[in-house]
Amino acid sequence: MLGATGSIGLSTLDVIARHPQRYQAFALSGFSRLAELFALCVRHRPRYAVVPEAAAARGLQAQLRDAGLATVVLVGEAGLCQVSADPEVDAVMAAIVGAAGLRPTLAAVEAGKKILLANKEALVMSGALFMQAVRKSGSVLLPIDSEHNAIFQCLPQDHARGLAAVGVRRILLTASGGPFRQTPLEALADVTPEQACAHPNWSMGRKISVDSASMMNKGLELIEACWLFDARPAQVEVVVHPQSVIHSLVDYVDGSVLAQLGNPDMRTPIANALAWPERIDSGVAPLDLFAVARLDFEAPDEQRFPCLRLAREAAEAGDSAPAMLNAANEVAVAAFLERRIRYLEIASIIEEVLNLEPVVAVNELDAVFAADAKARALAEQWLSRHGR
Ligand code: NAD
Ligand code: MG
């Protein structure tokens, strides 16, 4: 479990704890919340724990030893890549947030593991290379993102033959619209990180919460859908659906539209991917359609959500554009959470970075990281000029 201490990590541990006969946590990684990581190790007794640096590793190792646990603490990206590729591991939950998850997730892909992909940024950055590595190793790639998991469930199992071959016309990617769907446009200039993180339907980490508020999350998901399902950007339509009960839909050429519904709780897609092609109890309450009562749909407002337009443009440009979009967004969101910039400046930074830097081919991982680094440097320059 790459990113065990996060929102997805904790939901995953909740699901596997319901099925001790079936699942055992082999390795748990944490980054800043190391007291929580220790508590998770006590509860789940993994073979390995992974932390970012050596001093923290020594501290955690001593704590674990005092608690009578045999868990071995590994360090950094090398430690993450080691556990991802360990021969005893069947499945890797990729739930680190952001670009930091790319190398460890790819290590799992190259080792042919079953990949439970929450870390959408990894696929957005390196889509072509990532999917090439999946095909080469024969790794099974299962989406955890609720929308992509829904699409996966609505597609036939042989969809890898191509969307046209299986009669798919369009993918309808649903979006809640986030906390600012109805905020007066003139009030957006003053919204705070707390408001951005107060999602109406989902409880998530802070970075993805801000992405949901700006709808960059839906933009990243559009790119993610193109790679996972071999779709063109124009085949993916974003549909705002404020109740977050329909998690996405697939539109077939015969006029059939298949949807997956459920309560907004990530344990459903996690359990679905963990047990696929079987089904297991996730702990999620049954959907009460009478309580839901109605399902609303509206078109996304690109004036309100410029990040969605920027992401669609990057999807269409391809090559290094999605990696740059993602990197500029990561820097901008972190700056917004630190109150160095205002909410509307997130889109300004990304747009400027994408305008300044030409799109280049990315035929190897080094080129992806070079595009990522370049975009981060340009975003930092913007911050040093305009940020607080
Ligand atoms: P989170 O912030 O709650 O957790 C992030 C995890 O990543 C933590 O375990 C943290 O220790 C680890 N981490 C952070 N920075 C790291 C670094 N530099 N190196 C190594 N580890 C690091 O985030 P989350 O909400 O659990 O989201 C995780 C991923 O799943 C993201 O890519 C997000 O887009 C995706 N996702 C989340 C949800 C959700 O409901 N939370 C839904 C769909 C997709
Ligand atoms: Mg999602």
Side-chain angles (χ1 to χ4, degrees), residues 24-102:
Q24 163 66 42
F26 179 81
L28 302 180
S29 92
F31 191 69
S32 53
R33 300 165 61 189
L34 298 185
E36 279 94 331
L37 182 61
F38 170 69
L40 293 177
C41 288
V42 170
R43 169 109 209 271
H44 296 276
R45 306 190 154 255
R47 179 87 55 84
Y48 294 106
V50 190
V51 299
E53 32 96 24
R58 282 192 294 276
L60 180 63
Q61 190 68 78
Q63 257 186 310
L64 289 165
R65 203 182 313 112
D66 292 349
L69 262 73
T71 304
V72 173
V73 184
L74 303 177
V75 183
E77 197 169 70
L80 295 171
C81 292
Q82 179 187 326
V83 295
S84 288
D86 192 289
E88 278 192 46
V89 168
D90 301 310
V92 173
M93 167 55 80
I96 288 175
V97 57
L102 178 55

